[in-house]
Amino acid sequence: MSASWPTSARRGKMGGMRRVHVTVRGDVQGVGYRYTMLIVAREAGAAGWVRNRRDGSVEAEVEGTAGQVDEVLAWMAQGPPGSRVAQATVTDAATTGERGFEVRPTE
């Protein structure tokens, strides 16, 4: 079962840059979620970071054009093979002009 993304998260913004903060819950640790997301985000041209949380969730911030962010969010809703995304929280965040995408340590 994939996550149900809020309509506002799927819609994107016209023009300019966009940043979102995402928390994904389900079977998302120990399945390659973070490192596959790193590849997906870099291929999409998005910036930001992803990390595991001690509560078993995965947290990320993604920044780029609306299309780049939407591409990463679409992948996040499915995750890599072996994952099961049960719930996701997506909120808009202030853009930072960050460049590159990285996997951060667990917090």
Side-chain angles (χ1 to χ4, degrees):
M1 178 175 159
S2 64
S4 175
W5 296 93
T7 303
S8 61
R10 286 182 275 140
R11 187 171 41 243
K13 294 181 179 177
M14 296 303 292
M17 299 297 283
R18 179 175 183 218
R19 187 177 187 95
V20 293
H21 181 267
V22 186
T23 303
V24 180
R25 290 180 171 77
D27 296 328
V28 292
Q29 289 191 10
V31 294
Y33 195 101
R34 293 172 300 149
Y35 289 97
T36 307
M37 183 174 169
L38 172 75
I39 294 166
V40 169
R42 286 180 175 173
E43 287 179 353
W49 52 266
V50 62
R51 67 180 165 208
N52 281 343
R53 298 291 306 231
R54 294 192 196 286
D55 67 2
S57 65
V58 170
E59 178 184 33
E61 288 203 1
V62 181
E63 182 171 333
T65 65
Q68 291 167 328
V69 171
D70 287 346
E71 185 176 335
V72 176
L73 286 175
W75 179 86
M76 290 181 77
Q78 299 300 312
S83 69
R84 183 187 59 82
V85 177
Q87 178 186 16
T89 304
V90 181
T91 56
D92 287 320
T95 58
T96 65
E98 183 172 4
R99 296 191 181 273
F101 199 91
E102 67 180 0
V103 174
R104 290 189 176 172
T106 299
E107 185 172 289

